[in-house]
Amino acid sequence: MRILHILDHSIPLHSGYTFRTLAILKEQRDLGWETFHVTSAKHTGSVALEEEVDGWHFYRTPEHSRFASRLPILNQIAVINGLARRVADIVRIIKPDLLHAHSPALNAIPALIAARKASIPVIYEVRAFWEDAAVDHGTSSEWGVRYRLTRGLENFALRRVDAITTICEGLRNDMIGRGIAPEKITTIPNAVDIEKFAASRPANESLKEQFGLKSKRIIGFIGSFYAYEGLDILLRALPIMLLQHPDLRVLLVGGGPQDGQLRQLASQLGIGDKVIFTGRVPHDKVQDYYDLIDVLVYPRLSMRLTDLVTPLKPLEAMAQGRVLAASDVGGHQELIRDNHNGILFKSGDPNSLAQKVGELINVPGRWEDLRRAGREFVETERNWRKSVAKYQFIYSNLLNK
């Protein structure tokens, strides 16, 4: 079976989006399938039309140089048209059995254009809705003109592709609400590569000493500092928890758009000496920081993006046997059963976070059961081999038709 994957960017980028792509491609290669990969003009930093990256061969789409490509809306049309031409050229060369487009619709629509000419099926993998992500990033307002145009593009693609996969039930239900036939959509949830995650190791004592964390209890977050992550809720909860746990510290590992605001908030709350900002750390050193944290906290705010989409970080934490607490947004509730494989608190509520996490800190005897249940969940339900196997049925069904 020959599959052409249509992507925005190369897979070595360290993000949930590209980790999922890499996992899918590795499992498909292990199954003996031939996979090919093309990136749109949104991928930057490459001038060659073809190149090898970390052992993977990529076809590239050159950036459109016309003035119109730099204007709003017209620039998106330029991305679609350029990618459609590039995909059509590649299809003639490699003659794939089907096209696998990855979100957003800017990849799916070019796939449709090329596939109809070649009479081959298109599968569209939806990991989030582009319009909702734009709202959080501040480039669009909910239900504004740009939001509705983007939503229209997604609906156009959803109605015309031959099959749809998505990462969670929240997104599947939303698509059904848009009038997409349920039988057309298959949920292939986010998962982890179990073999890459070992159980918790002893903390690096020199690293602990470097950050002044000797003899401290540590809660924390590792990831990108976006507004929807709700890290301000964690900081607002800390003064409440410090009343009972004066030795408690918050470790924030990473960076992002909210970095400056969070540092300022910590200062305003008078907890600047109780919150450690490490900045971004090399990917191969992240494990050392995980090992410092007693309880990982994911305080995501409730909005369409977080209620519909399941994150990858809590699964990675479970795979390592970590203790975790998370807000009760829809995406978390698909992963975490309260008091079974983690703790849930009310989203957007510092008092609820302080109460639930404080109770968890008080009873470390519960931690082992939570760790065991989390690891069992990813081993039995959220491993990549089990998830990717579902593609074989979908692909075969499309080709038989």
Side-chain angles (χ1 to χ4, degrees):
M1 190 181 300
R2 298 164 70 87
I3 306 143
L4 176 59
H5 288 270
I6 302 163
L7 311 158
D8 274 346
H9 305 285
S10 289
I11 51 178
L13 294 173
H14 295 301
S15 70
Y17 184 99
T18 51
F19 280 146
R20 178 181 172 92
T21 303
L22 182 58
I24 291 169
L25 296 182
K26 282 181 175 178
E27 291 293 340
Q28 289 184 348
R29 186 164 64 181
D30 289 346
L31 288 168
W33 302 347
E34 288 185 88
T35 63
F36 303 85
H37 328 97
V38 57
T39 55
S40 78
K42 292 171 71 177
H43 177 84
T44 58
S46 300
V47 292
L49 289 178
E50 298 182 43
E51 64 178 339
E52 295 284 330
V53 181
D54 286 5
W56 299 91
H57 186 85
F58 281 92
Y59 293 94
R60 302 298 190 195
T61 302
E63 187 176 0
H64 207 277
S65 59
R66 290 182 182 175
F67 176 72
S69 68
R70 293 186 287 275
L71 297 175
I73 299 179
L74 293 179
N75 59 357
Q76 307 305 319
I77 294 173
V79 168
I80 290 173
N81 290 338
L83 184 55
R85 288 191 294 270
R86 185 65 173 139
V87 172
D89 290 342
I90 296 167
V91 166
R92 284 192 289 271
I93 295 168
I94 67 173
K95 295 180 172 53
D97 295 301
L98 54 83
L99 304 183
H100 185 140
H102 300 249
S103 334
L106 293 186
N107 296 330
I109 293 173
L112 283 166
I113 295 169
R116 293 303 175 253
K117 293 179 182 177
S119 298
I120 55 178
V122 176
I123 179 172
Y124 181 29
E125 180 161 329
V126 179
R127 304 178 187 185
F129 287 123
W130 185 31
E131 63 268 25
D132 294 323
V135 170
D136 180 72
H137 294 156
T139 58
S140 177
S141 58
E142 192 164 345
W143 301 110
V145 173
R146 181 171 177 175
Y147 183 98
R148 285 182 277 125
L149 284 171
T150 306
R151 185 179 173 90
L153 280 177
E154 288 289 347
N155 290 342
F156 178 90
L158 292 170
R159 293 189 185 105
R160 286 162 177 79
V161 295
D162 300 286
I164 302 165
T165 66
T166 190
I167 65 172
C168 58
E169 291 302 310
L171 288 170
R172 183 176 187 273
N173 291 335
D174 188 85
M175 285 185 274
I176 292 171
R178 298 179 186 216
I180 307 302
E183 60 272 16
K184 189 177 181 178
I185 311 166
T186 303
T187 300
I188 300 180
N190 269 334
V192 292
D193 185 347
I194 295 294
E195 295 175 0
K196 286 191 173 181
F197 293 95
S200 304
R201 307 174 307 186
N204 183 324
E205 292 301 324
S206 63
L207 192 60
K208 244 186 175 183
E209 188 168 356
Q210 176 185 331
F211 292 114
L213 295 173
K214 286 279 189 178
S215 304
K216 305 297 182 185
R217 284 183 281 191
I218 306 163
I219 62 176
F221 173 89
I222 299 176
S224 297
F225 299 173
Y226 291 114
Y228 62 78
E229 296 293 1
L231 296 176
D232 59 312
I233 304 299
L234 174 57
L235 295 188
R236 294 182 192 281
L238 182 57
I240 305 171
M241 290 186 281
L242 285 169
L243 296 175
Q244 289 191 343
H245 306 286
D247 61 339
L248 190 64
R249 298 293 182 268
V250 169
L251 183 66
L252 297 180
V253 183
Q258 295 292 304
D259 188 282
Q261 291 101 311
L262 292 170
R263 291 175 188 266
Q264 185 177 5
L265 178 60
S267 178
Q268 290 171 352
L269 294 171
I271 54 173
D273 60 336
K274 307 293 192 299
V275 182
I276 295 88
F277 291 86
T278 69
R280 298 187 186 278
V281 301
H283 184 69
D284 60 351
K285 301 294 184 184
V286 171
Q287 187 66 48
D288 289 334
Y289 291 83
Y290 268 113
D291 294 331
L292 297 180
I293 298 172
D294 297 311
V295 179
L296 285 156
V297 183
Y298 302 98
R300 284 192 158 193
L301 302 177
S302 179
M303 58 183 66
R304 274 183 54 83
L305 180 69
T306 57
D307 283 323
L308 294 180
V309 180
T310 53
L312 193 57
K313 291 294 184 185
L315 290 176
E316 293 178 347
M318 290 183 207
Q320 297 176 64
R322 304 287 171 181
V323 180
L324 63 151
S327 61
D328 60 357
V329 296
H332 284 154
Q333 291 193 52
E334 286 196 40
L335 306 177
I336 300 167
R337 283 174 50 198
D338 193 20
N339 293 311
H340 174 67
N341 58 349
I343 300 297
L344 293 174
F345 53 84
K346 187 175 180 182
S347 173
D349 187 342
N351 290 299
S352 177
L353 190 160
Q355 177 191 344
K356 297 297 288 285
V357 174
E359 290 172 354
L360 187 59
I361 291 170
N362 282 333
V363 283
R366 296 178 56 200
W367 296 5
E368 187 55 38
D369 288 341
L370 293 170
R371 290 189 182 106
R372 189 182 304 111
R375 176 73 185 189
E376 183 180 347
F377 175 68
V378 294
E379 284 180 345
T380 59
E381 299 184 42
R382 293 302 179 98
N383 65 82
W384 278 123
R385 189 165 296 276
K386 182 174 181 179
S387 285
V388 173
K390 293 184 179 181
Y391 285 107
Q392 187 164 12
F393 172 79
I394 300 168
Y395 289 168
S396 299
N397 192 41
L398 286 178
L399 294 177
N400 288 337
K401 287 181 179 179

Coordinates of all heavy atoms in Angstrom, one line a residue, residues 43-112:
H43 N 5.5 25.3 5.5 CA 6.8 24.9 6.1 C 7.9 25.8 5.6 O 8.0 26.1 4.4 CB 7.1 23.5 5.6 CG 8.4 23.0 6.1 ND1 8.6 22.4 7.3 CD2 9.7 23.0 5.5 CE1 9.9 22.1 7.5 NE2 10.5 22.4 6.4
T44 N 8.6 26.4 6.5 CA 9.7 27.4 6.2 C 11.1 26.8 6.4 O 11.2 25.8 7.2 CB 9.5 28.7 7.0 OG1 9.6 28.3 8.4 CG2 8.2 29.3 6.7
G45 N 12.1 27.4 5.9 CA 13.4 27.0 6.1 C 14.0 26.1 5.1 O 15.2 25.6 5.2
S46 N 13.2 25.7 4.1 CA 13.7 24.7 3.1 C 13.6 25.4 1.7 O 12.6 26.0 1.4 CB 12.9 23.4 3.1 OG 13.0 22.8 4.3
V47 N 14.6 25.2 0.9 CA 14.6 25.7 -0.5 C 14.6 24.6 -1.5 O 14.2 24.8 -2.6 CB 15.8 26.7 -0.7 CG1 15.7 27.9 0.1 CG2 17.1 26.0 -0.4
A48 N 15.0 23.4 -1.1 CA 15.1 22.2 -2.0 C 13.6 21.7 -2.2 O 12.8 21.7 -1.3 CB 16.0 21.2 -1.4
L49 N 13.4 21.2 -3.3 CA 12.1 20.6 -3.6 C 11.9 19.2 -3.0 O 10.8 18.7 -2.8 CB 11.8 20.5 -5.1 CG 11.6 21.8 -5.8 CD1 11.4 21.5 -7.3 CD2 10.4 22.5 -5.3
E50 N 13.1 18.6 -2.6 CA 13.0 17.3 -1.9 C 14.2 17.3 -0.9 O 15.3 17.8 -1.2 CB 13.2 16.1 -2.9 CG 12.1 15.9 -3.9 CD 12.2 14.7 -4.8 OE1 12.6 13.7 -4.2 OE2 12.0 14.8 -6.0
E51 N 14.0 16.7 0.2 CA 15.1 16.6 1.2 C 14.9 15.5 2.2 O 13.7 15.1 2.4 CB 15.4 17.9 1.9 CG 14.3 18.4 2.8 CD 14.6 19.7 3.5 OE1 15.8 20.0 3.6 OE2 13.7 20.4 3.9
E52 N 15.9 15.0 2.8 CA 15.9 14.0 3.9 C 16.0 14.7 5.2 O 16.9 15.5 5.4 CB 17.0 13.0 3.7 CG 17.0 12.1 2.5 CD 15.9 11.0 2.6 OE1 15.7 10.6 3.7 OE2 15.4 10.6 1.5
V53 N 15.1 14.3 6.1 CA 15.1 14.9 7.5 C 14.9 13.7 8.5 O 13.9 13.1 8.5 CB 14.0 15.9 7.7 CG1 14.1 16.5 9.1 CG2 14.1 17.0 6.7
D54 N 15.9 13.5 9.3 CA 15.9 12.4 10.3 C 15.5 11.1 9.7 O 14.7 10.3 10.3 CB 15.0 12.8 11.4 CG 15.6 13.9 12.3 OD1 16.7 14.4 12.0 OD2 15.0 14.2 13.4
G55 N 15.9 10.8 8.5 CA 15.6 9.5 7.9 C 14.3 9.4 7.1 O 13.9 8.4 6.6
W56 N 13.6 10.6 7.0 CA 12.4 10.6 6.3 C 12.5 11.5 5.1 O 13.1 12.6 5.1 CB 11.3 11.2 7.2 CG 11.0 10.4 8.4 CD1 11.6 10.5 9.6 CD2 10.1 9.2 8.5 NE1 11.1 9.5 10.5 CE2 10.2 8.7 9.8 CE3 9.3 8.6 7.6 CZ2 9.5 7.7 10.3 CZ3 8.5 7.5 8.1 CH2 8.7 7.1 9.4
H57 N 12.0 11.0 3.9 CA 12.1 11.8 2.7 C 10.8 12.7 2.5 O 9.7 12.3 2.6 CB 12.1 10.8 1.5 CG 12.4 11.5 0.2 ND1 13.6 11.9 -0.2 CD2 11.5 12.0 -0.7 CE1 13.5 12.5 -1.4 NE2 12.3 12.6 -1.7
F58 N 11.1 14.0 2.3 CA 10.0 15.0 2.2 C 10.1 15.6 0.8 O 11.1 16.0 0.3 CB 10.2 16.1 3.2 CG 9.7 15.7 4.6 CD1 10.6 15.2 5.5 CD2 8.4 15.8 4.9 CE1 10.1 14.8 6.8 CE2 7.9 15.5 6.2 CZ 8.8 14.9 7.1
Y59 N 8.9 15.7 0.2 CA 8.7 16.6 -0.9 C 8.3 18.0 -0.4 O 7.5 18.0 0.6 CB 7.6 16.1 -1.9 CG 7.9 14.8 -2.6 CD1 7.6 13.6 -2.1 CD2 8.6 14.9 -3.8 CE1 7.9 12.4 -2.7 CE2 8.9 13.7 -4.5 CZ 8.5 12.5 -3.9 OH 8.8 11.3 -4.6
R60 N 8.8 19.1 -0.9 CA 8.5 20.4 -0.4 C 7.7 21.2 -1.5 O 7.8 20.9 -2.7 CB 9.8 21.2 -0.1 CG 10.7 20.6 0.9 CD 10.0 20.4 2.2 NE 11.0 20.0 3.2 CZ 10.7 19.5 4.4 NH1 9.4 19.4 4.8 NH2 11.6 19.2 5.3
T61 N 6.9 22.1 -1.0 CA 6.1 23.0 -1.9 C 6.7 24.4 -1.8 O 6.8 24.9 -0.7 CB 4.6 23.0 -1.4 OG1 4.1 21.7 -1.4 CG2 3.8 24.0 -2.4
P62 N 7.2 24.9 -2.9 CA 7.8 26.2 -2.8 C 6.8 27.3 -2.4 O 5.7 27.2 -2.7 CB 8.4 26.4 -4.2 CG 7.6 25.5 -5.1 CD 7.2 24.3 -4.2
E63 N 7.3 28.3 -1.7 CA 6.5 29.4 -1.3 C 6.1 30.3 -2.5 O 7.0 30.6 -3.4 CB 7.2 30.3 -0.3 CG 6.4 31.4 0.3 CD 7.1 32.1 1.4 OE1 8.3 31.8 1.7 OE2 6.5 33.0 2.0
H64 N 4.9 30.7 -2.5 CA 4.4 31.5 -3.6 C 5.0 32.9 -3.4 O 4.9 33.5 -2.4 CB 2.9 31.6 -3.6 CG 2.3 31.9 -5.0 ND1 2.2 33.1 -5.5 CD2 1.8 31.0 -5.9 CE1 1.6 33.1 -6.7 NE2 1.4 31.8 -7.0
S65 N 5.6 33.5 -4.5 CA 6.3 34.8 -4.3 C 5.5 36.0 -4.7 O 5.9 37.1 -4.6 CB 7.6 34.8 -5.1 OG 7.3 34.5 -6.5
R66 N 4.3 35.8 -5.3 CA 3.5 36.9 -5.7 C 3.0 37.8 -4.6 O 2.9 37.3 -3.4 CB 2.3 36.5 -6.5 CG 2.6 35.9 -7.9 CD 1.4 35.5 -8.6 NE 1.7 34.8 -9.9 CZ 0.8 34.3 -10.7 NH1 -0.5 34.4 -10.4 NH2 1.2 33.8 -11.8
F67 N 2.7 39.1 -4.9 CA 2.3 40.0 -3.8 C 1.0 39.5 -3.2 O 0.9 39.7 -1.9 CB 2.1 41.4 -4.5 CG 1.5 42.4 -3.5 CD1 2.3 42.9 -2.5 CD2 0.2 42.8 -3.6 CE1 1.8 43.9 -1.6 CE2 -0.3 43.8 -2.7 CZ 0.5 44.3 -1.7
A68 N 0.1 38.9 -3.9 CA -1.2 38.4 -3.4 C -1.0 37.4 -2.2 O -1.8 37.3 -1.3 CB -2.0 37.8 -4.5
S69 N 0.2 36.7 -2.3 CA 0.4 35.7 -1.3 C 0.7 36.2 0.1 O 0.7 35.5 1.1 CB 1.6 34.7 -1.7 OG 2.8 35.5 -1.7
R70 N 0.9 37.6 0.2 CA 1.1 38.2 1.4 C -0.1 39.0 2.0 O 0.0 39.7 3.0 CB 2.3 39.2 1.3 CG 3.6 38.4 1.0 CD 4.8 39.4 1.0 NE 4.8 40.2 -0.1 CZ 5.4 39.8 -1.3 NH1 5.9 38.6 -1.4 NH2 5.4 40.6 -2.3
L71 N -1.2 38.9 1.3 CA -2.5 39.5 1.7 C -3.4 38.6 2.4 O -3.4 37.4 2.0 CB -3.2 40.1 0.5 CG -2.4 41.2 -0.3 CD1 -3.2 41.6 -1.5 CD2 -2.2 42.4 0.6
P72 N -4.1 39.0 3.4 CA -5.1 38.1 4.1 C -6.1 37.5 3.2 O -6.5 38.1 2.2 CB -5.8 39.1 5.1 CG -4.8 40.2 5.3 CD -4.1 40.4 4.0
I73 N -6.4 36.3 3.4 CA -7.3 35.4 2.6 C -6.7 35.0 1.3 O -6.6 33.8 1.0 CB -8.7 36.2 2.3 CG1 -9.4 36.4 3.7 CG2 -9.6 35.3 1.4 CD1 -10.7 37.2 3.5
L74 N -6.2 36.0 0.5 CA -5.5 35.6 -0.7 C -4.3 34.8 -0.4 O -3.9 33.9 -1.2 CB -5.1 36.9 -1.5 CG -6.2 37.7 -2.0 CD1 -5.7 39.0 -2.8 CD2 -7.1 36.9 -3.0
N75 N -3.6 35.0 0.7 CA -2.4 34.2 1.0 C -2.8 32.7 1.3 O -2.1 31.8 1.0 CB -1.6 34.8 2.2 CG -2.4 34.9 3.4 OD1 -3.6 34.6 3.5 ND2 -1.8 35.4 4.5
Q76 N -4.0 32.5 1.9 CA -4.5 31.1 2.1 C -4.8 30.5 0.8 O -4.6 29.3 0.6 CB -5.6 31.1 3.1 CG -5.4 31.9 4.4 CD -4.2 31.4 5.1 OE1 -3.9 30.2 5.2 NE2 -3.4 32.3 5.7
I77 N -5.4 31.2 -0.1 CA -5.7 30.7 -1.4 C -4.5 30.3 -2.2 O -4.4 29.2 -2.8 CB -6.5 31.7 -2.3 CG1 -7.9 32.0 -1.6 CG2 -6.7 31.2 -3.7 CD1 -8.7 33.1 -2.3
A78 N -3.4 31.1 -2.0 CA -2.1 30.8 -2.6 C -1.5 29.5 -2.1 O -1.0 28.7 -2.8 CB -1.1 32.0 -2.4
V79 N -1.7 29.3 -0.7 CA -1.2 28.0 -0.1 C -2.0 26.8 -0.7 O -1.4 25.8 -1.1 CB -1.4 28.1 1.4 CG1 -1.2 26.7 2.0 CG2 -0.4 29.1 2.0
I80 N -3.3 27.0 -0.8 CA -4.1 25.9 -1.4 C -3.7 25.6 -2.8 O -3.5 24.4 -3.2 CB -5.6 26.2 -1.3 CG1 -6.1 26.2 0.2 CG2 -6.4 25.3 -2.1 CD1 -7.5 26.7 0.4
N81 N -3.6 26.6 -3.7 CA -3.3 26.4 -5.1 C -1.9 25.8 -5.3 O -1.7 24.9 -6.1 CB -3.5 27.7 -5.9 CG -4.9 28.1 -6.0 OD1 -5.9 27.3 -5.8 ND2 -5.2 29.4 -6.2
G82 N -1.0 26.3 -4.5 CA 0.4 25.8 -4.7 C 0.5 24.4 -4.3 O 1.2 23.6 -4.9
L83 N -0.1 24.0 -3.1 CA 0.0 22.7 -2.7 C -0.8 21.7 -3.6 O -0.3 20.6 -3.8 CB -0.6 22.6 -1.2 CG -0.5 21.2 -0.5 CD1 0.9 20.7 -0.5 CD2 -1.1 21.3 0.9
A84 N -1.9 22.2 -4.1 CA -2.7 21.3 -5.1 C -1.8 21.0 -6.3 O -1.8 19.8 -6.7 CB -4.0 22.0 -5.5
R85 N -1.1 21.9 -6.8 CA -0.2 21.7 -8.0 C 0.9 20.7 -7.6 O 1.2 19.8 -8.4 CB 0.3 23.0 -8.5 CG -0.7 23.9 -9.2 CD 0.0 25.0 -10.0 NE 0.7 25.9 -9.1 CZ 0.1 27.0 -8.5 NH1 -1.2 27.3 -8.9 NH2 0.7 27.8 -7.7
R86 N 1.5 20.9 -6.4 CA 2.6 20.1 -6.0 C 2.1 18.7 -5.7 O 2.8 17.7 -6.2 CB 3.2 20.7 -4.7 CG 4.5 19.9 -4.2 CD 5.6 20.1 -5.2 NE 6.8 19.5 -4.7 CZ 7.7 18.8 -5.4 NH1 7.4 18.6 -6.7 NH2 8.8 18.4 -4.9
V87 N 1.0 18.5 -5.1 CA 0.5 17.1 -4.8 C 0.2 16.4 -6.2 O 0.5 15.2 -6.3 CB -0.8 17.2 -3.9 CG1 -1.5 15.8 -3.8 CG2 -0.4 17.7 -2.6
A88 N -0.4 17.2 -7.1 CA -0.8 16.5 -8.4 C 0.5 16.1 -9.1 O 0.5 15.0 -9.7 CB -1.5 17.6 -9.3
D89 N 1.6 16.8 -9.0 CA 2.9 16.4 -9.6 C 3.4 15.2 -8.9 O 3.9 14.2 -9.6 CB 3.9 17.5 -9.5 CG 3.6 18.7 -10.4 OD1 2.8 18.6 -11.3 OD2 4.2 19.8 -10.1
I90 N 3.3 15.1 -7.6 CA 3.9 14.0 -6.9 C 3.0 12.7 -7.1 O 3.6 11.6 -7.3 CB 3.9 14.3 -5.4 CG1 4.9 15.4 -5.1 CG2 4.3 13.1 -4.5 CD1 4.7 16.1 -3.7
V91 N 1.7 12.9 -7.2 CA 0.8 11.8 -7.5 C 1.2 11.1 -8.8 O 1.2 9.9 -9.0 CB -0.6 12.2 -7.5 CG1 -1.5 11.2 -8.2 CG2 -1.1 12.5 -6.1
R92 N 1.5 11.9 -9.8 CA 1.9 11.4 -11.1 C 3.2 10.6 -11.0 O 3.5 9.6 -11.8 CB 2.1 12.5 -12.2 CG 0.7 13.0 -12.7 CD 0.9 13.9 -13.9 NE 1.5 15.2 -13.5 CZ 0.8 16.3 -13.2 NH1 -0.5 16.2 -13.1 NH2 1.5 17.4 -12.9
I93 N 4.1 11.0 -10.1 CA 5.4 10.3 -10.0 C 5.3 9.0 -9.2 O 5.8 8.0 -9.6 CB 6.4 11.3 -9.3 CG1 6.7 12.5 -10.1 CG2 7.7 10.6 -9.0 CD1 7.4 13.6 -9.4
I94 N 4.7 9.1 -8.0 CA 4.7 7.9 -7.1 C 3.5 7.0 -7.2 O 3.5 5.9 -6.7 CB 4.9 8.4 -5.6 CG1 3.6 9.1 -5.1 CG2 6.1 9.2 -5.5 CD1 3.7 9.5 -3.7
K95 N 2.4 7.6 -7.8 CA 1.2 6.8 -8.0 C 0.7 6.1 -6.7 O 0.6 4.9 -6.6 CB 1.3 5.7 -9.1 CG 1.6 6.3 -10.5 CD 1.8 5.3 -11.5 CE 1.9 5.9 -12.9 NZ 2.8 7.0 -13.0
P96 N 0.3 7.0 -5.7 CA -0.2 6.4 -4.4 C -1.5 5.8 -4.5 O -2.3 6.1 -5.5 CB -0.2 7.7 -3.5 CG -0.5 8.8 -4.5 CD 0.3 8.4 -5.7
D97 N -1.8 4.9 -3.6 CA -3.2 4.3 -3.5 C -4.2 5.2 -2.9 O -5.4 5.2 -3.3 CB -3.1 3.0 -2.7 CG -2.2 2.0 -3.4 OD1 -2.5 1.6 -4.5 OD2 -1.3 1.5 -2.7
L98 N -3.7 6.1 -2.0 CA -4.7 7.1 -1.4 C -3.9 8.3 -0.9 O -2.6 8.2 -0.7 CB -5.5 6.5 -0.4 CG -4.9 5.7 0.8 CD1 -4.5 6.6 1.9 CD2 -5.9 4.7 1.4
L99 N -4.6 9.3 -0.6 CA -4.0 10.5 0.0 C -4.5 10.7 1.5 O -5.7 10.5 1.7 CB -4.3 11.8 -0.8 CG -4.0 11.8 -2.3 CD1 -4.4 13.1 -2.9 CD2 -2.5 11.5 -2.5
H100 N -3.6 11.0 2.4 CA -3.9 11.1 3.8 C -3.5 12.6 4.2 O -2.4 12.9 4.4 CB -3.1 10.1 4.6 CG -3.4 10.1 6.1 ND1 -3.5 9.0 6.8 CD2 -3.7 11.1 6.9 CE1 -3.8 9.3 8.1 NE2 -3.9 10.6 8.2
A101 N -4.6 13.4 4.2 CA -4.3 14.8 4.6 C -4.5 15.1 6.0 O -5.4 14.5 6.7 CB -5.3 15.7 3.8
H102 N -3.6 15.8 6.6 CA -3.6 16.1 8.1 C -4.1 17.6 8.2 O -3.8 18.4 7.4 CB -2.2 16.0 8.7 CG -1.7 14.6 8.5 ND1 -1.5 13.7 9.6 CD2 -1.3 13.9 7.4 CE1 -1.0 12.6 9.2 NE2 -0.9 12.6 7.9
S103 N -4.9 17.8 9.3 CA -5.4 19.2 9.5 C -4.4 20.2 9.3 O -3.2 20.0 9.6 CB -6.0 19.4 10.9 OG -6.4 18.3 11.6
P104 N -4.8 21.4 8.8 CA -6.2 21.9 8.6 C -6.7 21.7 7.2 O -6.0 21.0 6.4 CB -6.0 23.4 8.9 CG -4.7 23.7 8.4 CD -3.8 22.5 8.7
A105 N -7.8 22.4 6.9 CA -8.4 22.2 5.6 C -7.5 22.7 4.5 O -7.7 22.3 3.3 CB -9.8 23.0 5.5
L106 N -6.5 23.6 4.8 CA -5.6 24.0 3.8 C -4.8 22.9 3.2 O -4.2 23.0 2.1 CB -4.6 25.1 4.4 CG -5.2 26.4 4.8 CD1 -4.1 27.4 5.2 CD2 -6.1 27.0 3.7
N107 N -4.7 21.7 3.9 CA -4.1 20.5 3.3 C -5.2 19.6 2.7 O -4.9 18.9 1.7 CB -3.4 19.8 4.4 CG -2.2 20.6 5.0 OD1 -1.6 21.4 4.3 ND2 -1.9 20.3 6.3
A108 N -6.4 19.6 3.3 CA -7.4 18.7 2.8 C -7.9 19.1 1.4 O -8.1 18.2 0.5 CB -8.5 18.6 3.8
I109 N -8.1 20.4 1.2 CA -8.7 20.8 -0.1 C -7.7 20.6 -1.2 O -8.2 20.1 -2.3 CB -9.1 22.3 0.0 CG1 -10.3 22.4 1.0 CG2 -9.5 22.9 -1.3 CD1 -10.7 23.8 1.4
P110 N -6.4 20.9 -1.1 CA -5.5 20.5 -2.2 C -5.5 19.0 -2.5 O -5.4 18.6 -3.6 CB -4.2 21.0 -1.7 CG -4.5 22.1 -0.8 CD -5.7 21.7 -0.1
A111 N -5.6 18.2 -1.4 CA -5.7 16.8 -1.6 C -6.9 16.4 -2.4 O -6.8 15.5 -3.3 CB -5.7 16.0 -0.2
L112 N -8.0 17.0 -2.1 CA -9.2 16.7 -2.9 C -9.1 17.1 -4.4 O -9.5 16.3 -5.3 CB -10.4 17.5 -2.3 CG -11.0 16.9 -1.0 CD1 -11.9 18.0 -0.3 CD2 -11.8 15.7 -1.3

